[in-house]
Amino acid sequence: MEFKELVKERRSCRSFEKEAVSEGHLDAILDAGIWAPNPLNLQPWEFLIVTEGERKSEIRAVAEEAKQKVLDGEGPGWVSKYDMDFLEGAPMLIVVLYDPGKSGLGPFFGQEQGALQASSACIQNMMLAAADLGYGSLWFTWFEPQRLKDVLNIPENREIAGVIPLGRPSGESKAPPRKDPKVYRDTYGDEGP
Ligand SMILES: Cc1cc2nc3c(=O)[nH]c(=O)nc-3n(C[C@H](O)[C@H](O)[C@H](O)COP(=O)(O)O)c2cc1C
């Protein structure tokens, strides 16, 4: 797909067909991920591929707990209608992990998030590659990291950049509109001519 078209074609998908993701396509998606920019080329990411139904249900349970916390905390009312079926319905969930110790030189000068930034770029590459292959995907973060770590046996020295449900989309995903970019010239606050 042409790049400009691909960027707009990738939409957050929250409903999936049952069809499995082929190993070849998974390889291609991961390969796109690992070509993301990253500090000192330390490649801080790791990938945990979840396809077992029981494991997906456990992830959903952790996500439902997070949803309940939002509701208990009087978060936005629409949250009660947010349906997380897709966590069990997607044929595959890719949990993108990173080693926060691989953040490059940033920690010397107050930039601690290099590994997360790199893993985020990795996720975006993966999502674009997935869209190019006709898959839908979502960057999902409604969970308490420690709860998800417990369920998936993730060690203390790894963090979670996101859970990416992946599969053939069922139905159309609407593109939420974008605002015009807010741009300043030379110093912040000056919007130029
Ligand atoms: C860091 C990050 C976390 C997100 N977490 C969630 C999430 O937990 N659940 C969800 O449904 N969407 C999540 N999203 C998706 C956004 O809601 C979505 O990207 C946004 O509404 C724009 O829609 P689009 O991706 O179709 O362009 C997340 C996106 C990002 C970048």
Side-chain angles (χ1 to χ4, degrees):
M1 210 183 293
E2 204 254 321
F3 181 72
K4 274 197 287 187
E5 193 191 335
L6 179 61
V7 165
K8 296 199 172 171
E9 192 61 29
R10 183 223 50 88
R11 297 270 61 80
S12 291
C13 178
R14 299 178 182 88
S15 180
F16 297 89
E17 303 287 348
K18 285 198 171 66
E19 183 190 328
V21 178
S22 75
E23 284 298 308
H25 285 160
L26 173 62
D27 287 348
I29 290 166
L30 296 178
D31 189 54
I34 63 171
W35 283 94
N38 65 94
L40 301 181
N41 201 25
L42 291 171
Q43 302 167 57
W45 39 66
E46 293 174 5
F47 308 94
L48 174 54
I49 310 299
V50 178
T51 51
E52 266 178 21
E54 199 181 321
R55 202 65 78 180
K56 287 190 239 171
S57 300
E58 286 175 339
I59 293 173
R60 181 178 182 168
V62 169
E64 296 284 358
E65 280 172 26
K67 174 175 159 178
Q68 194 54 49
K69 287 211 163 183
V70 176
L71 294 172
D72 293 346
E74 293 178 17
W78 59 263
V79 170
S80 63
K81 296 196 188 73
Y82 181 81
D83 184 350
M84 301 202 271
D85 269 0
F86 56 79
L87 290 172
E88 292 173 296
M92 177 178 284
L93 306 176
I94 305 179
V95 185
V96 180
L97 307 169
Y98 63 94
D99 178 347
K102 293 187 174 171
S103 287
L105 301 178
F108 284 101
F109 38 80
Q111 294 203 37
E112 309 285 341
Q113 299 294 347
L116 173 59
Q117 289 172 313
S119 304
S120 299
C122 168
I123 289 176
Q124 176 72 354
N125 273 12
M126 287 165 60
M127 293 176 84
L128 289 173
D132 196 36
L133 292 168
Y135 288 100
S137 64
L138 178 69
W139 191 331
F140 184 81
T141 53
W142 285 34
F143 50 81
E144 266 189 48
Q146 190 55 54
R147 289 286 298 116
L148 199 55
K149 282 183 177 186
D150 293 344
V151 160
L152 297 174
N153 203 24
I154 296 168
E156 275 310 305
N157 59 2
R158 293 292 182 273
E159 299 299 337
I160 306 167
V163 173
I164 315 298
L166 180 69
R168 298 287 180 201
S170 158
E172 288 277 299
S173 299
K174 266 206 196 142
R178 297 309 203 245
K179 299 175 193 158
D180 287 339
K182 204 159 191 175
V183 181
Y184 303 116
R185 303 287 169 142
D186 298 320
T187 55
Y188 189 86
D190 184 352
E191 293 185 30

